[in-house]
Amino acid sequence: MSPDVPLLNDYKQDFFLKRFPQTVLGGPRLKLGYCAPPYIYLNQIILFLMPWVLGGIGTLLYQLGILEDYYTAILSGGLMLFTAFVIQFTSLHARNKSVTVERMLTTDILAEEDEHEFTSCAGAETIKFLIPGKKYIANTVFHSALAGLLCGLGTWYLLPNRITLLYGSVGGTVLLFVFGWMTLCIGEYSLIVNTATETATFQTQDTYEITPLMRPLYIFFFFSVDLAHRFMVNVPVLQQLNQLLHILFIFLPFLWALGTLPPPDALFLWAMEQVLEFGLGGSSVSTHLWLLIMFFISAGTAVTSYFIPSTVGVVLFMTGLGFLLSLNLSKIGFVFKLNVIRHRVGTKSKTLPNCSEKQFTWKEYLFYIIVLVLALLETGLLHHFAGFSQIAKNSPQAILGYILMVLFIILWILKEIQNVYIFGIFRNPFYPKDVQTVTLFLEKQTRLAKIGVVRRILLNLVSPFAMIAFLSLDSSLQGLHSVSVSIGFTRAFRMVGIMRDRLIQFISKLQFAVTVLLASWTEKKRRKSTTTLCILNIVFSPFVLVLIVFSTLLSSPLLPLFTLPLFLVGFPRPVQSWPGVVGTTACVCADTVYYYQMVPSLTTALQSAMAAGSLGLLLPGSHYLGRFQDRLIWIMILECGYTYCCINIKGLELQETSCHTAEARRVDEVFESAFEQEEYARVCSINEHFGNVLTPCTALPVKLYSDARNVLSGIIDSHDNLREFKGDLVKVLVWILVQYCSRRSSMQENVHKIENKGKASLIVLPALNTPPQTESPEDTDSLNSETLDDWSDDVFGEEPTIKKGREKDQLKILPGINLPIPGSVESQRVGNHSTGTVTENSLYKAIVLGYPAIDKGKQEDMAYIPLMEFSCSHSHLLSLPEEWMSNCLPNSKVKEMSSLFPEDWYQFVLKQLECFHSEENASVVVEEIAKDRVLKDFYVHAVMTCYFSLFGVDNMIPSPGHILRVYNGVLPWSVALDWLTEKPELFQLALKAFRYTLKLMIDKASLGPVEDFKELTNCLEEYESDWYIGLVSDEKWKEAVLQEKPYLFSLGYDPHMGVYTGRVLTLQELLIQIGKLNTEAVRGQWANLSWELLYATNDDEERYSIQAHPLLLRNLTVQAADPPLGYPIYSSKPLHIRLF
């Protein structure tokens, strides 16, 4: 990126300079960017100051002693209510009046946004510009009522006498009164006149008009404290808090403008999450709906425990509910619902919605029941028999406290041993040094796996019972009806939990801030412009530290503006960072299927790694990055509980851009330095990339596709290989068609057996060996595919005109015999298995299917084809379908192609068939079918017609370009091609044979020639069972990936290098390297992304904040954001992983 490129382009700069003052003032548009009449600005100022005027009337009457303070509030509120309704209905009237004009002028969206034509001071266009109005009538009434209440309470809140009583200073009173009313006017304007775009934006669209409520919501909070202080006298804490909030009240516009205060929806979710986790002892959950459910269940549990009259009852109730609420209730509920539906419907699980995750087993339910019973038994016995005492050095509770501390230290050590780096700095001497192969890695990791089992037992069995024993001996349980007891009697553990969470956040934020500083300083392209910012951060480091601490206390992201060292405190939001449901949106493309395939295996591998502690401390909101070849996997932890974890897996794009490639290369370097060390390397080496936001954790064996691309120069353009290709193609066509007919006959085994088994089946034979007719130009020449004027369209008709007399004579040849339609079992129909005599018309159609192509003028002199019969009664099992027996080539080509047919290979393929094993004399039957000349001639006709369709009738050695075109399904045009395309199934079989032959040619050139027919058969059988050979863009390619075909092959061409390439995907168990990302770095960059795109609308694809940086991984982090701001190509639904 050039250092001269600004952070915002010129258009966006002008746009931002117009939008930001509007945000600060709450909605007035005083900077329009074009010339507007003065009354536009005057009207906005009047509307802005209207609440102050109405409140000033009440204030004046109060100061003069005419009205009491509460009557003053009622008067100001009533006037504001009336004014709000007048404003809203004026806007509604203007919109209804100009609805037809609006439809005519909506041609240019940009012009409509940027420029308006005003006709008068009170014109409809002016009113619509000043007061856009509400979308819903309910909001019109509700917001107006809220505006009246806000003005009334605001008047009461800012009464000069009241402020003077709080501070005792006239100067302070004037200051707070003036700027306090400015804050109130800003809140009123955004509520009833025009809502400004907020810098703190959570939802991409404000469907229900929640944004106007944001500023009044915070104002009402300040009012509520003041009201509490008014009615609860002699409470010093409330007085001090009220004094502090009155000062903070005048700074609300700056907090709104900086985006520090969250919008109502984000505030609601964040508050519930914090209370659930640190107040009620729960955990962040995977969905917003489940968060709401768990919050009310947990709160209801605490309230219920308050009314239990027995201490033993309280202890048992809280222990049991605490254990149950720590389980994966959402998954258990889903399984229960699925079982109920299955029981009602009475069907198997195959017909119900399939879940990729394993269902709960009876062993798991038994385990949970046993743990619950033991926990209740331990709690009840200790509470009943053990004596309570204050915590002292020798008390039982103190001893258990020391035991818990020792357990904590042991678990921490065992967790660190599982990682490739200890504390992210020192190379773990117990971790395998070279982890390039799965087998070697698993062998070397055996000791770590045993340590992981010990850690799992200590974490899931020993620690919970030790904690229950410690809490059961707490002296606070001696009394009842205590709020502290009701919320879980775990005051100390609540504080420990909050302190641990905030300490981890503080360290991560501090590390992220330092990384941003280093990234800006080391980036040569913008060093001149960022040097000043870096120096200012160092000079004002105490202020930066205060911002980090404030951000940590709020659990909000530290927002680096434009990812520069210009830090702001982002608004608090849920740990998921995004408002949508997890896994519902992704930018799906052709490469998405590879992530679909690997996710089940990756989930299994993550289960073992998480249970062993290889991924470090599992906390909701943690992010991990996995890397394999060109794939980047983004993993986020959504929820954690007792023996389970819920995650979301995203897949990033495979078509790498320059920025993507630069950061992916650095990711590879980070993992290589960690996992690919020499055996003689130092025992405890230092992490070379410690400053990076990515810290390697472990490698996971996952079953996925490795992607290999080879250059086929010297193979596909070899003259000898191409000459062999033609001969091999005929053989592969024979094998494909015989296998197809064999499978086709096995699907028709339920058809009734032939009654007269001794009688030969009659069939029509194309005249391959009949005496030639009078030669036509088509017979003497080589049938150029471009000269077809002599051919009649009637040749392709189903029923050419022939003499009925000759037709009747032909019918007399076979008296009393049921003639079968070619390709069927005598006259039986496979569809409904009915048998009957062939009609005269059907026999007629069967005869003409064997005609060669003839001139239109010579139809009447054409010789009739004699009726032939199969020499073997079982040949019908391998007979071709009826529609494949028609002819489209002249007799000369028919004779020529019969000489190219590999009869010995045909005999060999027939003898290898396995569909006759049910017969008594299978070998004899196969021999008889192989000697059947009629069946062979049909195969000669079908195979060679497909052959000429693929190569053209000129029968020249193909070029590499021809091979590529046919491989892609683009065949040279000819009469044979028209014949073939009318038979889609045969066309696909011919294309499949062509692709198999190409793969055979490449294998022969790479591995050596095929020795005999048996080896050739083995190759083709392997292609059929283990390979998919086709195009990457085919739907069948995606199906093969999801079905986990062992190998996939595709032919391509690189126009830049001018070479033909082969792409081979191989399914195997390989190692994916996993690293943990700095959580606060991800949250901070996502917060900046939300600010840039939703507020500054900086969607420039070359903007600074999306450029690659090896330390911050900016580009990858932006990709991993939820759409529409990010663009992952795959996003899974919440995946539940069991950790025990």
Side-chain angles (χ1 to χ4, degrees), residues 714-725 957-958:
I715 298 178
I716 196 173
D717 52 1
S718 170
H719 188 76
D720 295 335
N721 290 342
L722 293 174
R723 185 171 55 251
E724 292 183 10
F725 180 89
I957 294 178

Side-chain angles (χ1 to χ4, degrees), residues 543-647:
F543 179 73
V544 175
L545 197 61
V546 169
L547 285 178
I548 294 175
V549 171
F550 185 57
S551 174
T552 301
L553 293 176
L554 290 178
S555 187
S556 61
L558 183 66
L559 192 154
L561 206 59
F562 300 106
T563 65
L564 291 173
L566 184 60
F567 298 105
L568 300 174
V569 178
F571 66 86
R573 64 199 78 191
V575 294
Q576 295 180 21
S577 295
W578 307 112
V581 179
V582 173
T584 55
T585 56
C587 303
V588 179
C589 66
D591 295 327
T592 304
V593 67
Y594 302 114
Y595 290 108
Y596 268 109
Q597 179 274 324
M598 69 181 295
V599 161
S601 178
L602 176 61
T603 304
T604 304
L606 285 171
Q607 178 180 359
S608 302
M610 288 179 172
S614 300
L615 298 185
L617 195 62
L618 300 178
L619 294 173
S622 299
H623 298 266
Y624 299 86
L625 185 66
R627 176 69 168 167
F628 174 74
Q629 288 188 349
D630 57 351
R631 266 153 278 185
L632 282 161
I633 303 101
W634 193 282
I635 304 167
M636 179 181 180
I637 296 182
L638 304 173
E639 179 181 351
C640 283
Y642 183 66
T643 70
Y644 83 96
C645 182
C646 184
I647 64 172

Side-chain angles (χ1 to χ4, degrees), residues 755-971:
E755 295 180 359
N756 300 324
K757 199 172 183 180
K759 295 183 180 181
S761 302
L762 297 178
I763 200 70
V764 180
L765 177 68
L768 298 179
N769 301 318
T770 54
Q773 304 176 28
T774 305
E775 292 187 355
S776 64
E778 291 80 2
D779 294 330
T780 56
D781 297 334
S782 61
L783 187 61
N784 191 329
S785 62
E786 296 179 359
T787 57
L788 301 166
D789 295 336
D790 294 333
W791 294 95
S792 170
D793 292 339
D794 292 342
V795 177
F796 305 100
E798 291 187 356
E799 298 182 9
T801 55
I802 59 175
K803 296 180 180 179
K804 286 190 176 181
R806 299 288 297 272
E807 175 188 331
K808 293 179 180 179
D809 292 339
Q810 282 299 99
L811 291 173
K812 293 178 182 178
I813 297 176
L814 301 167
I817 295 179
N818 293 336
L819 185 68
I821 298 175
S824 65
V825 182
E826 286 196 349
S827 61
Q828 300 170 3
R829 292 180 303 187
V830 179
N832 54 11
H833 313 307
S834 63
T835 306
T837 305
V838 179
T839 63
E840 191 171 311
N841 185 49
S842 301
L843 179 61
Y844 169 70
K845 290 180 65 176
I847 295 173
V848 301
L849 281 172
Y851 279 125
I854 60 170
D855 281 349
K856 183 176 181 180
K858 298 184 178 181
Q859 273 189 348
E860 295 183 358
D861 298 329
M862 184 186 68
Y864 287 95
I865 299 171
L867 290 175
M868 304 297 291
E869 61 182 22
F870 285 139
S871 61
C872 176
S873 60
H874 296 278
S875 294
H876 66 277
L877 296 176
L878 296 179
S879 178
L880 295 168
E882 171 189 351
E883 60 272 13
W884 296 2
M885 297 181 186
S886 60
N887 201 354
C888 65
L889 296 176
N891 289 337
S892 59
K893 281 296 173 184
V894 171
K895 293 178 181 179
E896 178 186 342
M897 66 185 184
S898 61
S899 63
L900 300 176
F901 187 80
E903 188 169 351
D904 53 348
W905 167 250
Y906 169 75
Q907 303 280 347
F908 179 82
V909 171
L910 290 180
K911 293 177 182 179
Q912 299 298 313
L913 292 177
E914 299 179 355
C915 60
F916 300 106
H917 288 177
S918 59
E919 302 289 340
E920 294 181 358
N921 300 319
S923 59
V924 177
V925 171
V926 172
E927 287 289 343
E928 292 179 359
I929 293 177
K931 294 177 182 179
D932 193 329
R933 301 293 300 177
V934 176
L935 182 65
K936 189 205 80 170
D937 287 340
F938 270 117
Y939 274 98
V940 170
H941 163 256
V943 168
M944 300 313 298
T945 305
C946 293
Y947 175 83
F948 284 114
S949 300
L950 296 172
F951 283 125
V953 293
D954 292 337
N955 199 21
M956 302 292 290
I957 294 178
S959 64
H962 179 89
I963 295 290
L964 178 63
R965 286 191 295 273
V966 177
Y967 185 92
N968 291 332
V970 182
L971 277 63

Side-chain angles (χ1 to χ4, degrees), residues 43 81 91 144 152 328 353 374 381 388 503 651 716 734 781 803 924 969 980 988 990 1065 1093:
N43 286 342
L81 176 64
S91 172
S144 299
N328 191 3
L374 291 177
L381 292 176
F388 295 104
L503 179 62
I716 196 173
V734 171
D781 297 334
K803 296 180 180 179
V924 177
L980 184 62
Q988 292 300 323
L1065 299 183
L1093 293 184

Side-chain angles (χ1 to χ4, degrees), residues 1016-1029:
L1016 178 58
T1017 303
N1018 293 337
C1019 287
L1020 295 178
E1021 289 176 351
E1022 182 184 355
Y1023 295 160
E1024 186 72 18
S1025 60
D1026 297 342
W1027 287 78
Y1028 176 77
I1029 303 172

Side-chain angles (χ1 to χ4, degrees), residues 434-439 441-442 627-629 699-702 704 1069-1073:
D434 191 4
V435 293
Q436 294 183 355
T437 60
V438 177
T439 306
F441 171 71
L442 294 178
R627 176 69 168 167
F628 174 74
Q629 288 188 349
L700 304 178
V702 178
L704 45 68
E1069 194 173 42
L1070 298 167
L1071 292 175
I1072 288 184
Q1073 296 158 337

